Amino acid sequence: MWENFILAVAESSGEKSASIWDSIIKQAPGLITQWGPKIALALILLFVFWLASRIVRKMIITAGEKGEIDYHVVRLMAMTARVGLLIAGIITSLGTLGVDVSALVAGLGLTGFALGFAVKDTISNILAGVLLLVYRPFALKDHVEVKGMKGLVQAIDLRYTTLKHEGQTILLPNSLLFTNPITIGKAESK
């Protein structure tokens, strides 16, 4: 089909531009009948994955609120699920159109590996922060000691836990708290 189209355009390159459009118009019905259903199916698949990503996002947020999980953790999980479903939808749609997605999937895998290796410490801190916020081994205003650093817990976020000790602010990476023994004591009331 494409060969005929290219030959028609190449043959008419010496003619007037009107004859080029005549060739395109003659080939259009064949192109529409060949590609129309594929494009429609790809768009339907993309819409289904988009809709599924919104539904899964809302389900995760609802479950997180019921489980009283920290908002930042729930938001991170919901966004990860949504982006994952959208990427799967795009790859599926491209595959439906006849695009060879094996190289794309391999490229995404290699990119993910390289990115993960490059930011492994940050990812380690974020995952440890998620687990600390889910399991809650200590709470705000608890006295915590780990690897010689101690203080009162002021904040727990996805990357750091903030401690206050003798007027100093200590930012502990969450991976340090998750992988080392911790001494936890309740704050003394004055």
Side-chain angles (χ1 to χ4, degrees):
M1 179 63 67
W2 282 105
E3 296 86 24
N4 295 339
F5 177 75
I6 292 170
L7 287 174
V9 171
E11 289 174 358
S12 65
S13 62
E15 300 171 10
K16 294 191 269 179
S17 63
S19 63
I20 293 174
W21 288 111
D22 291 339
S23 299
I24 292 173
I25 292 171
K26 288 177 186 174
Q27 298 294 325
L31 292 174
I32 291 172
T33 57
Q34 181 182 2
W35 286 95
K38 289 181 181 181
I39 292 173
L41 182 59
L43 290 174
I44 290 170
L45 280 171
L46 198 57
F47 176 74
V48 167
F49 273 93
W50 175 79
L51 190 62
S53 74
R54 291 185 56 93
I55 291 169
V56 167
R57 179 180 172 271
K58 286 184 181 185
M59 287 172 49
I60 290 172
I61 289 173
T62 303
E65 288 172 354
K66 286 182 182 178
E68 297 178 2
I69 299 174
D70 186 70
Y71 171 74
H72 297 292
V73 174
V74 173
R75 192 169 145 239
L76 178 68
M77 289 189 300
M79 186 182 302
T80 302
R82 184 160 194 233
V83 168
L85 279 170
L86 289 175
I87 289 173
I90 290 169
I91 290 171
T92 304
S93 296
L94 288 174
T96 303
L97 287 174
V99 175
D100 183 19
V101 294
S102 59
L104 179 64
V105 171
L108 284 174
L110 288 174
T111 302
F113 177 75
L115 240 139
F117 192 71
V119 294
K120 67 180 178 176
D121 292 333
T122 303
I123 292 172
S124 172
N125 284 329
I126 290 173
L127 290 176
V130 167
L131 292 172
L132 286 173
L133 290 168
V134 169
Y135 290 121
R136 298 181 183 149
F138 52 84
L140 295 177
K141 306 298 181 193
D142 281 352
H143 188 272
V144 173
E145 183 175 353
V146 61
K147 291 197 99 169
M149 293 175 272
K150 58 186 174 182
L152 211 57
V153 178
Q154 296 294 309
I156 305 168
D157 63 22
L158 289 177
R159 190 147 183 238
Y160 294 106
T161 296
T162 306
L163 304 179
K164 285 278 191 188
H165 181 69
E166 296 179 357
Q168 291 182 326
T169 301
I170 302 168
L171 296 175
L172 286 176
N174 287 331
S175 61
L176 184 73
L177 290 166
F178 199 73
T179 58
N180 292 299
I182 305 172
T183 304
I184 302 170
K186 296 295 177 192
E188 297 176 12
S189 56
K190 295 182 179 181

